[in-house]
Amino acid sequence: MTLARSGRPETEVVFDPSTYLGGVPFEAITRLRRESPVVWVDEIPVLGWPAGPGFWLVLRHSDVESVLARPQLFSSSAGATQIRDPATPQALGYVRQMMLNMDPPDHSRLRRLLTRSFMRRAVCQLEDRIRGHAQAICDRVLTGPRGECDFAKDVAADLPLLTLSDVLGVPQQDRWLLFDWSNRVIGYQDPDYASSAVFDAAEGTPIARQALELRPTRGNDGRMPDPRTREGMPDLYAYAHLLAEEKRRHPGDDVMSILLAQVDDDGGQVSVAEFENMFWLFAVAGNETLRNGLPGACIALLEHPDAQDDLRAAPELMPGAVDEMLRWWTPVMTFRRTATADCELGGQRIGAGDKVVVSFISANRDEAVFAAADRFDIRRQPNPHLVFGYGPHFCLGAHLARTQMRALFAEVLARTSCLAFAGPPAYLRSNFQRGVKRLPITWTA
Ligand code: HEM
């Protein structure tokens, strides 16, 4: 067992969500990847969560791909896709209704319906609107010859919400509900996010007010109910239910209206229950990921002022630069599978039923695939990063995420001559999302 400088086992340092308050432990991750690329991690009790059975952490790019490409052997459904096991069999049954936690063929049906709903016309329309949203945010924040702002809160938070409102057909005045919901789900290990309540009911639609009446509060133990159970998110489910009814009555041109109107290969339709789960998944997967990816990308530019200048001089470098920003930051650090049979991976014997956790943050710095992997290089080519996963669950929002990043940084860089840190960033306490809660910056026009 290798010990970190702190004297704790490196695997424990990498697992502990509190580690990430001080940044990603790249030194430990790199050493583990070189010395024991598939390594057993004990799940110590953390932050009031009991100890778990432990898991295999997969650190090499090729092994991560190999796990994600074989859903029959490494299942998303058996124990779902988070490191922590759902607390009860009921809770497991509940999360398995989401496509993220399904295996083929159940997964394939919903995936096909959803892919079809992102029709070319719908996507072109979304792209135009994203560019408009990025302009509006910059009009609001980057005014005058110079200034200071919190890039995470003032710039990055709103773009995914505005985009998701368009995708889900959520009225814009309700969009901060999505912010609170994804904070509660992703930030349950962080006291700032666990009971997020930014949305102001007075500004919302009647549907929002109705749903808000069900918002849970802290229990006697001071904790919010587990957000990975249906009981933990009654306000989200109420909202999704009311929205689905509304969209069946009055379809819009949003992706979810198209989805609800579709007929599958057996002549059936997406059920309201399926819609509700899809809504949950999009509200969380399409929001927090990008809200962390955008400030992470900004940090890359702040630490590399030459890249800022290069992009201002040659905006055509932006698509490649965005992929490098994504690789360098890697907003989603891990995902989990469960082995369905005894097997071998990276020289380790894996037992049936073992948890297998792939590390994107490690795979994206694997020197076997990326030359000078720690270097931020906006001209890196090719760049086969695994930021959006791999295989049948490859991120459905990858194109939308890239479009939002390109649109926002094109605007920000065109309107500024210099971006710089105005203080240290504050990071999220999580071993799943590489989150930025605050990013103070100064900018000069
Ligand atoms: C930088 C931003 C994003 C990152 C880093 C990211 C990352 C990921 C990853 C790693 C997966 C694979 C999970 C697995 O293998 O189990 C995934 C799946 C998914 N993502 Fe994203 N995502 C981002 C943005 C978005 C957006 C904007 C949307 C929607 C608008 C979205 C919707 C989804 C959905 C629905 C899935 C599940 C796909 C399936 O199960 O087949 N994501 N994402």
Side-chain angles (χ1 to χ4, degrees), residues 110-356:
L110 285 174
R111 174 98 189 182
R112 209 164 31 239
L113 284 168
L114 205 47
T115 310
R116 276 193 222 143
S117 305
F118 278 99
M119 300 177 313
R120 183 174 283 280
R121 191 175 54 83
V123 171
C124 286
Q125 224 168 28
L126 280 172
E127 287 173 357
D128 286 346
R129 290 188 59 90
I130 286 169
R131 281 188 282 273
H133 296 321
Q135 281 164 8
I137 290 170
C138 291
D139 285 348
R140 199 170 64 210
V141 180
L142 304 177
T143 53
R146 64 180 53 82
E148 260 190 53
C149 69
D150 176 351
F151 189 90
K153 182 167 138 281
D154 303 327
V155 182
D158 209 5
L159 186 58
L161 297 176
L162 287 161
T163 305
L164 271 177
S165 300
D166 292 340
V167 173
L168 297 170
V170 165
Q172 271 194 16
Q173 66 265 42
D174 290 350
R175 68 185 187 277
W176 290 89
L177 273 175
L178 301 168
F179 179 85
D180 287 334
W181 289 329
S182 63
N183 274 355
R184 261 162 51 198
V185 172
I186 301 293
Y188 70 97
Q189 293 168 327
D190 190 293
D192 284 352
Y193 277 16
S195 58
S196 179
V198 169
F199 176 70
D200 177 0
E203 290 175 8
T205 60
I207 296 184
R209 282 198 290 280
Q210 223 176 310
L212 265 190
E213 285 172 16
L214 301 175
R215 176 150 66 193
T217 49
R218 290 177 191 277
N220 292 338
D221 58 357
R223 294 168 68 100
M224 294 292 282
D226 185 350
R228 294 181 305 161
T229 60
R230 196 173 167 115
E231 302 74 53
M233 303 299 289
D235 42 345
L236 177 146
Y237 276 92
Y239 189 93
H241 191 92
L242 293 166
L243 189 73
E245 285 180 344
E246 174 68 17
K247 294 205 169 299
R248 284 256 209 251
R249 276 196 303 270
H250 307 291
D253 56 5
D254 54 90
V255 175
M256 289 295 157
S257 287
I258 301 172
L259 176 71
L260 279 166
Q262 269 199 45
V263 174
D264 63 24
D265 297 341
D266 300 324
Q269 276 194 314
V270 171
S271 69
V272 170
E274 283 173 333
F275 175 82
E276 290 170 4
N277 289 317
M278 208 86 93
F279 183 90
W280 186 107
L281 181 58
F282 269 74
V284 176
N287 187 12
E288 195 78 14
T289 46
L290 203 66
R291 180 144 59 88
N292 294 323
L294 291 168
C298 187
I299 291 173
L301 294 177
L302 297 171
E303 287 188 8
H304 302 89
D306 291 355
Q308 289 184 37
D309 295 340
D310 288 356
L311 280 168
R312 286 192 187 96
E316 67 279 6
L317 294 174
M318 187 59 83
V322 159
D323 270 280
E324 178 66 349
M325 293 172 195
L326 283 164
R327 182 192 75 89
W328 191 80
W329 189 255
T330 305
V332 174
M333 294 187 284
T334 52
F335 252 103
R336 175 247 173 117
R337 300 293 189 258
T338 305
T340 57
D342 293 348
C343 57
E344 190 266 328
L345 186 74
Q348 289 287 359
R349 294 295 312 159
I350 311 274
D354 285 355
K355 285 195 244 189
V356 177

Side-chain angles (χ1 to χ4, degrees), residues 68 76 81 99-100 107 111 114 118 164 167 281-282 285-286 289-290 293 326 331-332 335 337 360 386-390 392-398 400-401 404-405:
L68 298 180
S76 291
T81 48
M99 66 187 288
L100 185 69
H107 170 258
R111 174 98 189 182
L114 205 47
F118 278 99
L164 271 177
V167 173
L281 181 58
F282 269 74
T289 46
L290 203 66
L326 283 164
V332 174
F335 252 103
R337 300 293 189 258
F360 298 125
L386 299 175
V387 163
F388 296 113
Y390 187 79
H393 289 277
F394 182 81
C395 177
L396 265 170
L400 282 183
Q404 290 178 76
M405 291 189 66

Side-chain angles (χ1 to χ4, degrees), residues 31-65:
R31 204 165 19 246
L32 286 172
R33 185 176 58 246
R34 286 181 189 151
E35 290 168 11
S36 32
V38 177
V39 66
W40 183 256
V41 180
D42 289 328
E43 271 177 85
I44 52 162
V46 280
L47 310 170
W49 290 75
F55 58 87
W56 294 104
L57 184 65
V58 181
L59 294 142
R60 278 196 305 225
H61 190 282
S62 57
D63 291 332
V64 169
E65 282 189 346

